[in-house]
Amino acid sequence: MKTVLSSRSIEIPEGVTATVKARIVTVTGPRGTLTRDFKHVDMDLKCVGKNMIRLDVWFAQRKQLASVRTVCSHIENLFVGVTRGFIHKMRFVYSHFPINVSTNAGNVEIRNFLGEKRVRKIPLLEGVSYLRSADVKDQIELTGNDIAAVSLTCARIQQATSVRKKDLRKFLDGIYVSEKGIIEE
């Protein structure tokens, strides 16, 4: 059964400006500007007044109705990104060979994983910054405004250190996300 109209409104926080043109949302705040394209979702997206964005889906079935809340969450993540930013902390897990991680020319380089000579290079996506934690041993911090870029970089680092052709119950070595959140000011 189709729902005639499903509508949801998002309030734009103070200190943030948002524009919507042809389902492309551009958000500007104190930390910078983020743009997200929603042309793949069939809906009406418009600014109502100075501080509201309204999202309408007409004659939608269950799958399209589910996308309403998802798009709202994406837009709210844009607001959080330009005001506070996102941080992901990753910890190194190893039993014998210590993992050596460094950054070089916009790449994260992983050396000595399981004693291998191969150097794994993972590019840092645009807007993502790398920091080696000084107070915690074997931890790196990835920060940025775009939650998709930060989490994708973390996923690529974790997948680069996946163990192959060994018993995964015994070989737990790798770099794993230990903490996700919003940057605390």
Side-chain angles (χ1 to χ4, degrees), residues 92 100-111 119-125 128-133 140-142 153 157 175:
F92 311 160
N100 184 357
V101 179
S102 62
T103 182
N104 185 14
N107 289 331
V108 176
E109 295 184 349
I110 303 168
R111 300 173 194 277
V119 178
R120 292 164 166 80
K121 294 181 182 177
I122 297 97
L124 284 173
L125 293 175
V128 179
S129 61
Y130 167 95
L131 177 70
R132 185 77 183 248
S133 297
I140 59 173
E141 296 176 2
L142 297 169
T153 304
I157 290 172
I175 302 175

Side-chain angles (χ1 to χ4, degrees), residues 19-173:
T19 59
V20 178
K21 183 171 184 179
R23 285 185 282 185
I24 297 175
V25 179
T26 305
V27 178
T28 306
R31 289 180 57 96
T33 303
L34 289 175
T35 303
R36 186 94 189 229
D37 188 355
F38 294 107
K39 288 193 177 187
H40 63 283
V41 184
D42 197 18
M43 64 179 161
D44 292 339
L45 196 61
K46 59 180 121 190
C47 284
V48 180
K50 293 270 187 210
N51 62 347
M52 291 291 266
I53 294 177
R54 193 174 77 215
L55 194 144
D56 296 330
V57 177
W58 293 88
F59 299 108
Q61 292 183 338
R62 189 171 173 160
K63 295 261 178 161
Q64 290 88 16
L65 290 176
S67 68
V68 173
R69 178 71 185 257
T70 303
V71 171
C72 289
S73 296
H74 286 318
I75 295 171
E76 286 167 1
N77 282 337
L78 294 179
F79 294 150
V80 173
V82 296
T83 53
R84 297 173 70 184
F86 294 97
I87 184 167
H88 283 50
K89 295 180 182 178
M90 302 187 82
R91 297 289 299 266
F92 311 160
V93 177
Y94 53 87
S95 58
H96 187 272
F97 296 102
I99 300 172
N100 184 357
V101 179
S102 62
T103 182
N104 185 14
N107 289 331
V108 176
E109 295 184 349
I110 303 168
R111 300 173 194 277
N112 202 31
F113 177 68
L114 292 177
E116 295 175 1
K117 294 294 182 193
R118 184 178 151 232
V119 178
R120 292 164 166 80
K121 294 181 182 177
I122 297 97
L124 284 173
L125 293 175
E126 187 179 339
V128 179
S129 61
Y130 167 95
L131 177 70
R132 185 77 183 248
S133 297
D135 54 342
V136 180
K137 182 179 179 269
D138 295 334
Q139 178 173 293
I140 59 173
E141 296 176 2
L142 297 169
T143 57
N145 294 347
D146 190 2
I147 190 170
V150 174
S151 57
L152 183 59
T153 304
C154 288
R156 287 180 177 170
I157 290 172
Q158 183 171 339
Q159 287 178 347
T161 59
S162 61
V163 179
R164 291 181 175 82
K165 299 183 181 173
K166 290 185 172 60
D167 188 357
L168 298 180
R169 296 169 296 179
K170 178 71 176 167
F171 291 87
L172 300 172
D173 297 30

